[in-house]
Amino acid sequence: MRLAQQCDEIDQLNAELKGITLLKSIEVDILEDGSLDLPDSALAQLDMVVGAVHSNFNLSRAKQTERILRAMQHPYFTLLAHPTGRLIQRRAPYDVDMLRIIREAKNRGCFLELNAHPERLDLLDTYCRMAKEEGVLISINSDAHSIYDFSNLRFGIGQARRGWLEKHDVLNTRSLKELRGLISRTM
C-alpha cells in the first residue's frame, strides 16, 4: 500500500533530519454512514487522522450531524477538517448542529480545523468562539496544496482572532512534545 510506503519514508526522514519532525497523517473521507474510508490497519500507522465530509452535502441536519458524530467516535479520529464544508460563493455550508459537534469533540478529546484557505475560511468566527467556550482546541491550517498556499495561514489567524481565539486555544501553537501528548489522547 502506498500509505505504508510513505510512512516508512517519513520514518527514514525523521531519522535523518535535525530540528524538524514530520508527523504521519492523512485526510480521510467521512462516508455517509459515518465510517472512514480507510481500514484501521492503515490508520493505526499514523500520528493523526483528519476526517472530512467530501460528499452527500444535502443530508438533513440530523443525518449530517450523526454522520460526523459517528466518525468522531472512531478510535483513530483526531481532527475534523473544514467542519461545515462551505466554499465561499460556490457551495453553502451543509446543515449541521455545530454545538453538538463541538461538545462531542470535547468529550472525545479531538479537535476542529479552521481551514484558512480564502475560499473556505471554514470555521466561522462564531463557531471558533463556541469552541473556545467549550474548551475545544482549534487547528489553524493553510489547506496548502503547494508551497505557495502556506501564506493562507494569515487568513486563518484573522478568522481565529475574530472568534476571540488566543494562542492557548490553538492546537498547532504547541511544542512538538505538547502536540504529541494531545494527539495521542485521541488514538
Side-chain angles (χ1 to χ4, degrees), residues 134-159:
E134 294 290 328
V136 174
L137 296 179
I138 302 298
S139 179
I140 302 173
N141 297 326
S142 65
D143 197 20
H145 291 237
S146 79
I147 60 171
Y148 304 106
D149 292 335
F150 286 119
S151 64
N152 289 342
L153 286 171
R154 71 183 189 272
F155 303 120
I157 292 167
Q159 186 84 332

Side-chain angles (χ1 to χ4, degrees), residues 20 42 46 69 77 105 117 161 166 176:
I20 187 170
L46 303 171
L69 293 174
F77 189 96
H117 195 284
R161 286 179 176 159
E166 301 171 78
L176 178 61

Side-chain angles (χ1 to χ4, degrees), residues 6 25 29 71 75 81 89-90 93 114-115 126 130 138 141 162:
Q6 288 175 345
S25 67
D29 285 337
Q89 296 183 349
R90 291 195 342 220
L114 190 171
N115 186 304
T126 53
M130 193 182 297
I138 302 298
N141 297 326
R162 282 188 294 281

Side-chain angles (χ1 to χ4, degrees), residues 66-171:
E66 289 305 316
R67 169 193 197 178
I68 294 170
L69 293 174
R70 206 168 304 121
M72 292 170 77
Q73 286 298 316
H74 191 281
Y76 294 111
F77 189 96
T78 310
L79 185 136
L80 178 61
H82 40 81
T84 70
R86 81 174 183 166
L87 290 171
I88 296 172
Q89 296 183 349
R90 291 195 342 220
R91 183 175 66 220
Y94 46 74
D95 195 11
V96 65
D97 185 338
M98 192 54 68
L99 182 58
R100 283 188 67 200
I101 300 298
I102 290 169
R103 288 184 172 159
E104 181 59 26
K106 180 178 181 169
N107 291 337
R108 172 72 173 69
C110 56
F111 313 101
L112 301 178
E113 175 192 54
L114 190 171
N115 186 304
H117 195 284
E119 292 179 6
R120 283 196 185 272
L121 288 178
D122 186 7
L123 198 59
L124 293 178
D125 54 355
T126 53
Y127 294 147
C128 289
R129 177 88 186 267
M130 193 182 297
K132 176 185 179 78
E133 290 170 355
E134 294 290 328
V136 174
L137 296 179
I138 302 298
S139 179
I140 302 173
N141 297 326
S142 65
D143 197 20
H145 291 237
S146 79
I147 60 171
Y148 304 106
D149 292 335
F150 286 119
S151 64
N152 289 342
L153 286 171
R154 71 183 189 272
F155 303 120
I157 292 167
Q159 186 84 332
R161 286 179 176 159
R162 282 188 294 281
W164 294 27
L165 297 187
E166 301 171 78
K167 182 178 177 178
H168 65 271
D169 301 312
V170 178
L171 178 67

Side-chain angles (χ1 to χ4, degrees), residues 3 24-30 34-52 68-80 108-111 182-187:
L3 179 60
K24 296 176 280 194
S25 67
I26 194 166
E27 183 172 311
V28 296
D29 285 337
I30 298 174
S35 61
L36 305 181
D37 73 338
L38 284 178
D40 287 356
S41 58
L43 301 178
Q45 304 173 60
L46 303 171
D47 297 307
M48 291 182 63
V49 174
V50 177
I68 294 170
L69 293 174
R70 206 168 304 121
M72 292 170 77
Q73 286 298 316
H74 191 281
Y76 294 111
F77 189 96
T78 310
L79 185 136
L80 178 61
R108 172 72 173 69
C110 56
F111 313 101
L182 288 166
I183 63 177
S184 69
R185 292 183 204 156
T186 66
M187 303 296 243

